[in-house]
Amino acid sequence: MSILRKNINALIESHKLNNEGKINKNFLMPLILSMIVNFCGIDQSKYHILASYGIRAIKQIGDLDINMEEKEWKKLEKSGMGKAGIYNNQLRYFIELPEVSDDAEMEIFSKKTTEGFPDPSFSHKSLQPMLLVDQFGHHYYHVDTLVRWKQIVHRDKDESALKLMHKEIKALSKENTESSDVKLLTLGLRTKSEIKSTLKNIEKILENW
């Protein structure tokens, strides 16, 4: 077992002790990622967390999917945390975290700066102006980016996800509390006009689903 893995396991046990055995994955998973990138000396401006991490304020995360620039991705081997290999024709570093939960894992994909899925508009370079930054320094999707991603990918589960996003954002916008404002900011929504625009966009997408 690597030194980093031992330190992360100790962190997980401490987290459980301080939370009566419960796991807050929305906090613990990005914290673990922070430990990995710091240990490996990875430049935090060279990767971003994909997909539903951007809506963790309204839905608990399961795993983390990350796109990382090639040069930084190669540093992951130093961590001793996972395995590198080919997955769906992509170069992936796969980390399992069973101490957190059965489905806790990280998939870190090696990408060129201009390479993205499902098209180049989702590359790290293209997304730069729209990416948000969390408390650990990780870049992640603005809610509008996630909405556009789900519209294009268009899986069955994306429709239900969009409905959930619409419902929760609308509810938060009506609460008008400090807690709801923080959650909306986590989504990247700062003003009433931005909230209104996002809700209308989701409605339009669902109408044409």
Side-chain angles (χ1 to χ4, degrees):
M1 184 181 291
S2 70
I3 294 174
L4 179 59
R5 173 70 76 168
K6 289 180 180 178
N7 290 339
I8 287 173
N9 286 349
L11 168 72
I12 295 168
E13 287 305 309
S14 175
H15 178 83
K16 288 179 180 178
L17 285 172
N18 293 329
N19 292 279
E20 299 179 344
K22 297 178 181 178
I23 293 284
N24 179 357
K25 292 175 74 175
N26 286 357
F27 173 78
L28 194 56
M29 291 291 280
L31 175 56
I32 292 171
L33 176 61
S34 181
M35 291 178 69
I36 293 169
V37 299
N38 287 336
F39 183 87
C40 296
I42 291 169
D43 185 343
Q44 288 193 283
S45 69
K46 303 298 183 182
Y47 67 87
H48 64 267
I49 305 175
L50 310 176
S52 295
Y53 182 71
I55 57 169
R56 64 197 179 283
I58 59 177
K59 182 178 182 291
Q60 180 171 273
I61 62 173
D63 57 3
L64 292 182
D65 295 326
I66 300 136
N67 278 353
M68 184 176 288
E69 293 186 15
E70 295 170 295
K71 182 180 177 181
E72 303 303 309
W73 184 88
K74 293 176 181 178
K75 298 177 183 179
L76 287 167
E77 185 178 357
K78 178 184 176 182
S79 73
M81 286 291 297
K83 294 181 179 180
I86 302 296
Y87 179 77
N88 285 345
N89 296 317
Q90 300 178 84
L91 194 54
R92 178 187 72 164
Y93 193 81
F94 184 60
I95 300 171
E96 294 181 286
L97 296 163
E99 298 84 3
V100 175
S101 70
D102 291 340
D103 64 344
E105 57 190 39
M106 296 183 190
E107 295 185 277
I108 308 175
F109 297 95
S110 174
K111 297 287 184 182
K112 295 178 181 177
T113 309
T114 56
E115 182 183 7
F117 177 83
D119 61 55
S121 71
F122 290 91
S123 70
H124 191 66
K125 182 177 181 180
S126 296
L127 290 175
Q128 277 298 314
M130 298 163 282
L131 291 173
L132 303 174
V133 182
D134 70 9
Q135 69 191 95
F136 302 104
H138 307 310
H139 292 75
Y140 67 95
Y141 278 6
H142 185 289
V143 66
D144 289 342
T145 302
L146 181 58
V147 169
R148 183 167 66 89
W149 188 88
K150 288 187 174 296
Q151 179 187 18
I152 295 172
V153 177
H154 210 82
R155 302 164 299 182
D156 289 340
K157 66 179 182 179
D158 292 320
E159 181 181 14
S160 58
L162 287 170
K163 288 179 179 178
L164 173 67
M165 291 160 67
H166 186 275
K167 176 185 175 182
E168 294 298 329
I169 292 171
K170 189 173 183 180
L172 287 171
S173 69
K174 292 180 178 180
E175 281 185 28
N176 197 29
T177 64
E178 184 176 347
S179 175
S180 62
D181 287 347
V182 169
K183 289 180 179 180
L184 289 167
L185 281 172
T186 301
L187 298 168
L189 301 175
R190 298 165 296 176
T191 65
K192 290 182 178 179
S193 62
E194 289 176 349
I195 294 168
K196 186 177 180 179
S197 174
T198 296
L199 289 173
K200 282 190 173 181
N201 187 34
I202 295 174
E203 289 165 7
K204 184 177 179 181
I205 292 169
L206 289 173
E207 285 175 4
N208 297 297
W209 197 268

